[in-house]
Amino acid sequence: VQRRVPSGTRRWTVRTGGALPSPAILARDTVWALTAGCTLWRIPRDGAAPDSATIEECVTRAAPTVLQDGVLVASVRGEVILYDARA
């Protein structure tokens, strides 16, 4: 069965400045993306200005895990880092 995907328009684009080795995660009204160099992006789904933070001395290949009080990041060195997204 063939299905046509309707054409659409791009609503917004965020340039992260680094490769995204895993999918972005949608949690409530926020898209979370994590670059290979551990820059964590918090992107409001409504297109408001995004913000980012770099976790020092970290390299990752995994998607972030969004929790109620933070974001978990797994590094290639075998670390699990809890980033406090409220700060």
Side-chain angles (χ1 to χ4, degrees), residues 11-87:
R11 293 179 60 188
W12 48 260
T13 300
V14 174
R15 302 236 182 258
T16 64
L20 298 170
S22 60
I25 304 298
L26 176 63
R28 295 175 221 64
D29 294 336
T30 304
V31 176
W32 295 89
L34 184 63
T35 69
C38 281
T39 298
L40 182 63
W41 284 86
R42 178 175 26 201
I43 306 164
R45 189 171 170 206
D46 65 5
D51 62 339
S52 66
T54 301
I55 301 169
E56 298 298 323
E57 299 180 26
C58 175
V59 175
T60 188
R61 300 285 180 256
T65 301
V66 179
L67 306 173
Q68 185 174 3
D69 61 346
V71 179
L72 285 177
V73 172
S75 78
V76 297
R77 293 190 320 186
E79 301 167 318
V80 177
I81 302 161
L82 176 59
Y83 179 79
D84 186 351
R86 298 169 296 171

Side-chain angles (χ1 to χ4, degrees), residues 5-13:
V5 175
S7 62
T9 57
R10 185 184 304 200
R11 293 179 60 188
W12 48 260
T13 300

